């Protein structure tokens, strides 16, 4: 099953207008599928400022409404896990 490869802070802060990366340092064999959820909604590829990377979620030009609860859901054939983050915009 997937595992977390390093400890991460569950509270992340971002400055308005900057770029932030929410880390999701998970690994597994086979490599797990990563799904990001914001406030209960799946992060959609159509969200232009959001980019799902291999081990993080990058948000460009952070806006106030980007603040909220993010979940990194990770799944492979042997199990799944979730990392929760609170993003605070200042």
């Amino acid at each position: 099953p997937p595992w977390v490869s390093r400890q991460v802070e569950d509270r992340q802060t971002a400055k308005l207008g900057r770029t932030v990366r929410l880390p999701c340092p998970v690994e597994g064999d086979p490599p797990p599928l990563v799904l990001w959820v914001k406030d209960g909604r799946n992060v959609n590829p159509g969200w232009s400022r959001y980019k799902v990377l291999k081990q993080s979620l990058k948000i460009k030009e952070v806006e106030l409404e980007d603040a909220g609860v993010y979940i990194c859901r990770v799944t492979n054939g042997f199990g799944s896990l979730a990392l929760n983050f609170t993003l605070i915009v200042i």
Side-chain angles (χ1 to χ4, degrees):
W3 72 89
V4 178
S5 57
R6 67 181 165 80
Q7 193 60 42
V8 289
E9 286 288 321
D10 60 358
R11 291 172 73 86
Q12 301 280 331
T13 56
K15 285 197 167 86
L16 199 60
R18 297 305 259 296
T19 294
V20 66
R21 264 180 204 224
L22 299 179
C24 189
V26 290
E27 298 184 25
D29 190 13
L33 197 69
V34 176
L35 175 71
W36 282 92
V37 178
K38 178 192 186 284
D39 296 331
R41 293 176 55 206
N42 289 356
V43 171
N44 186 311
W47 297 6
S48 58
R49 293 179 305 105
Y50 287 65
K51 188 165 182 70
V52 176
L53 303 171
K54 192 166 181 268
Q55 291 199 327
S56 63
L57 174 68
K58 184 165 135 186
I59 307 169
K60 293 190 305 201
E61 296 159 18
V62 170
E63 298 174 0
L64 287 173
E65 50 266 28
D66 294 326
V69 175
Y70 290 79
I71 302 169
C72 173
R73 287 213 176 101
V74 188
T75 309
N76 69 10
F78 298 99
S80 63
L81 61 85
L83 292 175
N84 294 350
F85 296 99
T86 302
L87 180 64
I88 300 152
V89 177
I90 45 178

